[in-house]
Amino acid sequence: QGLAFLLADMEAAVASSRATMLAAARLKDLGEPFAKEASVAKLIATDNAMQVTTDAVQVLGSAGYTRDFPVERYMREAKVMQIFEGTNQIQRMVIARHLHRDNSGPLLSSRT
């Protein structure tokens, strides 16, 4: 059951990341402001990617660290994505700046 729950959490993280990214992309496609949502999507997706790949390596045990399984490379790539195109700390600053400017927390936002 422990492994099943871990895999379920991994799937939920991937689905959450995908939904967040699609919501930001939808705003861009509609020509609406999307900078905050894009920062949230990058932050969520890269943090989740790091967590999911770390969990995948643990599921495979010591074999997860070998080049026999692609998960070792995925974990390295996930770490790079947390840094590439603005670190996650910068994404947090962008989000906080938007929240401060809008003076409406995530629950009070006019967009859903």
Side-chain angles (χ1 to χ4, degrees):
Q1 213 176 32
L3 180 59
F5 285 0
L6 180 62
L7 294 173
D9 287 343
M10 291 165 70
E11 172 60 24
V14 170
S16 169
S17 298
R18 183 175 291 120
T20 306
M21 180 272 304
L22 289 172
R26 194 169 298 115
L27 288 174
K28 182 179 185 329
D29 287 346
L30 293 172
E32 296 185 22
F34 67 97
K36 180 182 72 174
E37 290 78 6
S39 288
V40 169
K42 186 202 182 283
L43 177 67
I44 295 296
T46 56
D47 281 353
N48 283 347
M50 193 65 218
Q51 184 61 52
V52 166
T53 56
T54 300
D55 290 346
V57 166
Q58 288 180 333
V59 165
L60 294 172
S62 61
Y65 289 101
T66 67
R67 296 194 185 266
D68 296 337
F69 292 97
V71 70
E72 174 265 341
R73 180 173 50 90
Y74 297 154
M75 188 171 72
R76 283 186 286 117
E77 291 174 354
K79 189 61 182 174
V80 168
M81 293 309 292
Q82 285 182 314
I83 300 166
F84 186 67
E85 291 198 17
T87 66
N88 282 2
Q89 286 75 20
I90 289 175
Q91 302 307 322
R92 286 179 175 92
M93 285 177 21
V94 170
I95 296 163
R97 212 174 295 133
H98 279 276
L99 291 174
H100 179 69
R101 187 186 71 216
D102 296 346
N103 198 21
S104 62
L107 298 176
L108 302 176
S109 177
S110 62
R111 283 180 276 159
T112 318

